[in-house]
Amino acid sequence: MAKSSTRAAAQKSSAKPVFVLNGPNLNLLGQREPEIYGRTTLADIEKQVRARAKALGLTADCRQSNHEGELVDWIHEAREGACGVILNAGAYSHTSIAIHDALAALDIPVIEVHISNVYKRESFRHHSTISSVATGVICGLGTIGYDLALEAVKSKL
């Protein structure tokens, strides 16, 4: 591919937003188990993510659902509508073959994010069904993990 067409492809993909998808119970951030997840709310994270995306020359489309099928639908939508996906699938990270299969169909960067260090928690959280189809995984760094995930997506475009 010629340099000019490579640059054009990069510009075209970066015109699409990064989908920032949050799964079940993440709407309760700031209230639920603050000793694990902190006091930062999902609205705070979305504001932080949009600001960091803008600084990187990206846009972020932030969404949250407690419903597995809706997350799968959004991942399908990302095939044509996003330049990358940042996914905190919450408990679905450990159980969802459907989310795994939807992510496997993507040809864009996928970064799996966990606010807490899942390896310091219950043993059932030590396995992720989605890590094998993610470009990378960030866990245990708190909400800064979302910013790092944006930088990772940007580096892969």
PDB file of all heavy atoms in Angstrom, residues 12 21 23 33 36 51 59 64 73 77-78 82-84 96 105 112 117 125-126 132 135 138 149 153:
ATOM      1  N   LYS A  12      -9.286   7.830   7.667  1.00  0.00           N
ATOM      2  CA  LYS A  12     -10.666   7.368   7.563  1.00  0.00           C
ATOM      3  C   LYS A  12     -11.077   6.594   8.816  1.00  0.00           C
ATOM      4  O   LYS A  12     -12.145   6.817   9.368  1.00  0.00           O
ATOM      5  CB  LYS A  12     -10.820   6.478   6.325  1.00  0.00           C
ATOM      6  CG  LYS A  12     -12.231   5.977   6.118  1.00  0.00           C
ATOM      7  CD  LYS A  12     -12.330   5.119   4.887  1.00  0.00           C
ATOM      8  CE  LYS A  12     -13.730   4.579   4.717  1.00  0.00           C
ATOM      9  NZ  LYS A  12     -13.838   3.628   3.629  1.00  0.00           N
ATOM     10  N   LEU A  21     -17.390   0.421  25.762  1.00  0.00           N
ATOM     11  CA  LEU A  21     -18.549  -0.354  26.192  1.00  0.00           C
ATOM     12  C   LEU A  21     -18.336  -0.871  27.611  1.00  0.00           C
ATOM     13  O   LEU A  21     -17.297  -1.472  27.909  1.00  0.00           O
ATOM     14  CB  LEU A  21     -18.773  -1.534  25.242  1.00  0.00           C
ATOM     15  CG  LEU A  21     -18.883  -1.179  23.752  1.00  0.00           C
ATOM     16  CD1 LEU A  21     -19.079  -2.454  22.922  1.00  0.00           C
ATOM     17  CD2 LEU A  21     -19.998  -0.177  23.503  1.00  0.00           C
ATOM     18  N   GLY A  23     -20.157  -3.079  30.796  1.00  0.00           N
ATOM     19  CA  GLY A  23     -21.150  -4.102  31.049  1.00  0.00           C
ATOM     20  C   GLY A  23     -21.882  -3.971  32.357  1.00  0.00           C
ATOM     21  O   GLY A  23     -21.967  -2.879  32.944  1.00  0.00           O
ATOM     22  N   GLU A  33     -19.356  -1.250  46.113  1.00  0.00           N
ATOM     23  CA  GLU A  33     -18.034  -1.702  46.543  1.00  0.00           C
ATOM     24  C   GLU A  33     -16.931  -0.665  46.281  1.00  0.00           C
ATOM     25  O   GLU A  33     -15.961  -0.933  45.576  1.00  0.00           O
ATOM     26  CB  GLU A  33     -17.680  -3.021  45.856  1.00  0.00           C
ATOM     27  CG  GLU A  33     -18.632  -4.158  46.199  1.00  0.00           C
ATOM     28  CD  GLU A  33     -18.288  -5.455  45.510  1.00  0.00           C
ATOM     29  OE1 GLU A  33     -18.595  -5.588  44.315  1.00  0.00           O
ATOM     30  OE2 GLU A  33     -17.702  -6.323  46.185  1.00  0.00           O
ATOM     31  N   ILE A  36     -13.253  -1.475  46.387  1.00  0.00           N
ATOM     32  CA  ILE A  36     -12.658  -2.170  45.242  1.00  0.00           C
ATOM     33  C   ILE A  36     -12.582  -1.244  44.034  1.00  0.00           C
ATOM     34  O   ILE A  36     -11.550  -1.156  43.365  1.00  0.00           O
ATOM     35  CB  ILE A  36     -13.472  -3.430  44.883  1.00  0.00           C
ATOM     36  CG1 ILE A  36     -13.397  -4.452  46.029  1.00  0.00           C
ATOM     37  CG2 ILE A  36     -12.984  -4.047  43.570  1.00  0.00           C
ATOM     38  CD1 ILE A  36     -14.288  -5.655  45.846  1.00  0.00           C
ATOM     39  N   ALA A  51     -12.493  13.421  27.115  1.00  0.00           N
ATOM     40  CA  ALA A  51     -11.422  14.421  27.128  1.00  0.00           C
ATOM     41  C   ALA A  51     -10.119  13.812  26.620  1.00  0.00           C
ATOM     42  O   ALA A  51      -9.404  14.430  25.811  1.00  0.00           O
ATOM     43  CB  ALA A  51     -11.239  14.989  28.530  1.00  0.00           C
ATOM     44  N   THR A  59     -12.527  10.332  18.890  1.00  0.00           N
ATOM     45  CA  THR A  59     -13.793  10.555  19.584  1.00  0.00           C
ATOM     46  C   THR A  59     -14.182   9.251  20.256  1.00  0.00           C
ATOM     47  O   THR A  59     -13.770   8.170  19.818  1.00  0.00           O
ATOM     48  CB  THR A  59     -14.921  11.008  18.627  1.00  0.00           C
ATOM     49  OG1 THR A  59     -15.110  10.011  17.625  1.00  0.00           O
ATOM     50  CG2 THR A  59     -14.605  12.349  17.987  1.00  0.00           C
ATOM     51  N   GLN A  64     -23.267   1.830  28.127  1.00  0.00           N
ATOM     52  CA  GLN A  64     -23.306   0.862  29.220  1.00  0.00           C
ATOM     53  C   GLN A  64     -24.592   0.084  29.144  1.00  0.00           C
ATOM     54  O   GLN A  64     -25.652   0.640  28.865  1.00  0.00           O
ATOM     55  CB  GLN A  64     -23.201   1.566  30.579  1.00  0.00           C
ATOM     56  CG  GLN A  64     -23.085   0.632  31.789  1.00  0.00           C
ATOM     57  CD  GLN A  64     -24.411   0.091  32.322  1.00  0.00           C
ATOM     58  OE1 GLN A  64     -25.454   0.741  32.227  1.00  0.00           O
ATOM     59  NE2 GLN A  64     -24.391  -1.114  32.874  1.00  0.00           N
ATOM     60  N   ASP A  73     -24.842  -6.730  20.344  1.00  0.00           N
ATOM     61  CA  ASP A  73     -25.320  -5.885  19.238  1.00  0.00           C
ATOM     62  C   ASP A  73     -24.382  -4.703  19.000  1.00  0.00           C
ATOM     63  O   ASP A  73     -24.088  -4.347  17.855  1.00  0.00           O
ATOM     64  CB  ASP A  73     -26.738  -5.371  19.517  1.00  0.00           C
ATOM     65  CG  ASP A  73     -27.805  -6.449  19.404  1.00  0.00           C
ATOM     66  OD1 ASP A  73     -27.540  -7.520  18.810  1.00  0.00           O
ATOM     67  OD2 ASP A  73     -28.913  -6.214  19.930  1.00  0.00           O
ATOM     68  N   GLU A  77     -22.186  -3.696  15.737  1.00  0.00           N
ATOM     69  CA  GLU A  77     -22.234  -2.344  15.174  1.00  0.00           C
ATOM     70  C   GLU A  77     -20.823  -1.782  14.985  1.00  0.00           C
ATOM     71  O   GLU A  77     -20.553  -1.056  14.017  1.00  0.00           O
ATOM     72  CB  GLU A  77     -23.053  -1.439  16.092  1.00  0.00           C
ATOM     73  CG  GLU A  77     -23.261  -0.042  15.575  1.00  0.00           C
ATOM     74  CD  GLU A  77     -24.028   0.845  16.551  1.00  0.00           C
ATOM     75  OE1 GLU A  77     -24.807   0.325  17.387  1.00  0.00           O
ATOM     76  OE2 GLU A  77     -23.824   2.070  16.484  1.00  0.00           O
ATOM     77  N   ALA A  78     -19.921  -2.135  15.869  1.00  0.00           N
ATOM     78  CA  ALA A  78     -18.541  -1.638  15.803  1.00  0.00           C
ATOM     79  C   ALA A  78     -17.806  -2.126  14.557  1.00  0.00           C
ATOM     80  O   ALA A  78     -16.852  -1.476  14.112  1.00  0.00           O
ATOM     81  CB  ALA A  78     -17.771  -2.058  17.057  1.00  0.00           C
ATOM     82  N   ALA A  82     -16.933   1.737  14.130  1.00  0.00           N
ATOM     83  CA  ALA A  82     -15.930   2.154  15.107  1.00  0.00           C
ATOM     84  C   ALA A  82     -14.531   1.860  14.588  1.00  0.00           C
ATOM     85  O   ALA A  82     -14.342   0.977  13.741  1.00  0.00           O
ATOM     86  CB  ALA A  82     -16.142   1.421  16.434  1.00  0.00           C
ATOM     87  N   CYS A  83     -13.560   2.598  15.109  1.00  0.00           N
ATOM     88  CA  CYS A  83     -12.161   2.330  14.756  1.00  0.00           C
ATOM     89  C   CYS A  83     -11.500   1.434  15.792  1.00  0.00           C
ATOM     90  O   CYS A  83     -10.395   0.939  15.575  1.00  0.00           O
ATOM     91  CB  CYS A  83     -11.388   3.625  14.575  1.00  0.00           C
ATOM     92  SG  CYS A  83     -11.153   4.589  16.086  1.00  0.00           S
ATOM     93  N   GLY A  84     -12.174   1.201  16.923  1.00  0.00           N
ATOM     94  CA  GLY A  84     -11.664   0.338  17.970  1.00  0.00           C
ATOM     95  C   GLY A  84     -12.718   0.180  19.047  1.00  0.00           C
ATOM     96  O   GLY A  84     -13.698   0.930  19.085  1.00  0.00           O
ATOM     97  N   SER A  96     -19.071 -15.056  29.170  1.00  0.00           N
ATOM     98  CA  SER A  96     -19.813 -14.892  27.925  1.00  0.00           C
ATOM     99  C   SER A  96     -19.077 -15.383  26.680  1.00  0.00           C
ATOM    100  O   SER A  96     -18.180 -14.720  26.160  1.00  0.00           O
ATOM    101  CB  SER A  96     -20.202 -13.429  27.716  1.00  0.00           C
ATOM    102  OG  SER A  96     -20.938 -13.313  26.505  1.00  0.00           O
ATOM    103  N   ALA A 105     -15.146 -11.576  15.594  1.00  0.00           N
ATOM    104  CA  ALA A 105     -15.537 -11.162  14.246  1.00  0.00           C
ATOM    105  C   ALA A 105     -15.029  -9.764  13.885  1.00  0.00           C
ATOM    106  O   ALA A 105     -15.216  -9.310  12.762  1.00  0.00           O
ATOM    107  CB  ALA A 105     -17.059 -11.211  14.106  1.00  0.00           C
ATOM    108  N   GLU A 112      -9.453  -4.922  26.386  1.00  0.00           N
ATOM    109  CA  GLU A 112     -10.248  -5.350  27.539  1.00  0.00           C
ATOM    110  C   GLU A 112      -9.745  -4.579  28.761  1.00  0.00           C
ATOM    111  O   GLU A 112      -8.538  -4.520  29.005  1.00  0.00           O
ATOM    112  CB  GLU A 112     -10.076  -6.853  27.758  1.00  0.00           C
ATOM    113  CG  GLU A 112     -10.820  -7.410  28.938  1.00  0.00           C
ATOM    114  CD  GLU A 112     -10.554  -8.902  29.148  1.00  0.00           C
ATOM    115  OE1 GLU A 112      -9.805  -9.526  28.379  1.00  0.00           O
ATOM    116  OE2 GLU A 112     -11.115  -9.428  30.129  1.00  0.00           O
ATOM    117  N   ASN A 117      -7.888  -5.330  40.006  1.00  0.00           N
ATOM    118  CA  ASN A 117      -6.982  -6.400  39.616  1.00  0.00           C
ATOM    119  C   ASN A 117      -7.718  -7.715  39.858  1.00  0.00           C
ATOM    120  O   ASN A 117      -7.809  -8.194  40.997  1.00  0.00           O
ATOM    121  CB  ASN A 117      -5.690  -6.338  40.424  1.00  0.00           C
ATOM    122  CG  ASN A 117      -4.707  -7.414  40.000  1.00  0.00           C
ATOM    123  OD1 ASN A 117      -5.059  -8.353  39.300  1.00  0.00           O
ATOM    124  ND2 ASN A 117      -3.476  -7.275  40.444  1.00  0.00           N
ATOM    125  N   ARG A 125     -12.779 -15.089  38.897  1.00  0.00           N
ATOM    126  CA  ARG A 125     -12.470 -13.902  38.099  1.00  0.00           C
ATOM    127  C   ARG A 125     -11.112 -14.000  37.393  1.00  0.00           C
ATOM    128  O   ARG A 125     -10.746 -13.120  36.625  1.00  0.00           O
ATOM    129  CB  ARG A 125     -12.486 -12.652  38.978  1.00  0.00           C
ATOM    130  CG  ARG A 125     -13.843 -12.335  39.567  1.00  0.00           C
ATOM    131  CD  ARG A 125     -13.802 -11.033  40.361  1.00  0.00           C
ATOM    132  NE  ARG A 125     -14.943 -10.890  41.220  1.00  0.00           N
ATOM    133  CZ  ARG A 125     -16.134 -10.427  40.822  1.00  0.00           C
ATOM    134  NH1 ARG A 125     -16.333 -10.045  39.582  1.00  0.00           N
ATOM    135  NH2 ARG A 125     -17.126 -10.335  41.692  1.00  0.00           N
ATOM    136  N   HIS A 126     -10.359 -15.045  37.659  1.00  0.00           N
ATOM    137  CA  HIS A 126      -9.017 -15.165  37.098  1.00  0.00           C
ATOM    138  C   HIS A 126      -9.018 -15.580  35.632  1.00  0.00           C
ATOM    139  O   HIS A 126      -7.977 -15.495  34.977  1.00  0.00           O
ATOM    140  CB  HIS A 126      -8.178 -16.160  37.898  1.00  0.00           C
ATOM    141  CG  HIS A 126      -7.959 -15.732  39.312  1.00  0.00           C
ATOM    142  ND1 HIS A 126      -7.226 -16.484  40.187  1.00  0.00           N
ATOM    143  CD2 HIS A 126      -8.374 -14.648  40.021  1.00  0.00           C
ATOM    144  CE1 HIS A 126      -7.192 -15.882  41.371  1.00  0.00           C
ATOM    145  NE2 HIS A 126      -7.906 -14.765  41.287  1.00  0.00           N
ATOM    146  N   SER A 132      -8.673 -13.801  24.987  1.00  0.00           N
ATOM    147  CA  SER A 132      -8.040 -14.470  23.848  1.00  0.00           C
ATOM    148  C   SER A 132      -8.355 -13.812  22.508  1.00  0.00           C
ATOM    149  O   SER A 132      -7.648 -14.046  21.525  1.00  0.00           O
ATOM    150  CB  SER A 132      -8.437 -15.950  23.807  1.00  0.00           C
ATOM    151  OG  SER A 132      -9.824 -16.087  23.553  1.00  0.00           O
ATOM    152  N   THR A 135      -6.995  -7.442  21.652  1.00  0.00           N
ATOM    153  CA  THR A 135      -5.661  -7.004  21.259  1.00  0.00           C
ATOM    154  C   THR A 135      -4.769  -6.907  22.489  1.00  0.00           C
ATOM    155  O   THR A 135      -3.587  -7.240  22.446  1.00  0.00           O
ATOM    156  CB  THR A 135      -5.757  -5.627  20.563  1.00  0.00           C
ATOM    157  OG1 THR A 135      -6.704  -5.709  19.493  1.00  0.00           O
ATOM    158  CG2 THR A 135      -4.406  -5.173  20.035  1.00  0.00           C
ATOM    159  N   ILE A 138      -5.934  -4.569  30.079  1.00  0.00           N
ATOM    160  CA  ILE A 138      -5.460  -3.670  31.132  1.00  0.00           C
ATOM    161  C   ILE A 138      -6.311  -3.948  32.362  1.00  0.00           C
ATOM    162  O   ILE A 138      -7.536  -3.862  32.294  1.00  0.00           O
ATOM    163  CB  ILE A 138      -5.596  -2.195  30.705  1.00  0.00           C
ATOM    164  CG1 ILE A 138      -4.744  -1.925  29.459  1.00  0.00           C
ATOM    165  CG2 ILE A 138      -5.205  -1.262  31.858  1.00  0.00           C
ATOM    166  CD1 ILE A 138      -4.999  -0.580  28.808  1.00  0.00           C
ATOM    167  N   ALA A 149      -6.111   2.484  27.573  1.00  0.00           N
ATOM    168  CA  ALA A 149      -6.747   1.735  26.487  1.00  0.00           C
ATOM    169  C   ALA A 149      -6.934   2.612  25.256  1.00  0.00           C
ATOM    170  O   ALA A 149      -6.725   2.160  24.120  1.00  0.00           O
ATOM    171  CB  ALA A 149      -8.083   1.163  26.956  1.00  0.00           C
ATOM    172  N   VAL A 153      -5.441   1.867  21.572  1.00  0.00           N
ATOM    173  CA  VAL A 153      -6.214   1.870  20.318  1.00  0.00           C
ATOM    174  C   VAL A 153      -5.551   2.803  19.316  1.00  0.00           C
ATOM    175  O   VAL A 153      -5.321   2.443  18.160  1.00  0.00           O
ATOM    176  CB  VAL A 153      -7.687   2.262  20.552  1.00  0.00           C
ATOM    177  CG1 VAL A 153      -8.401   2.546  19.229  1.00  0.00           C
ATOM    178  CG2 VAL A 153      -8.430   1.172  21.323  1.00  0.00           C
TER     179      VAL A 153
END
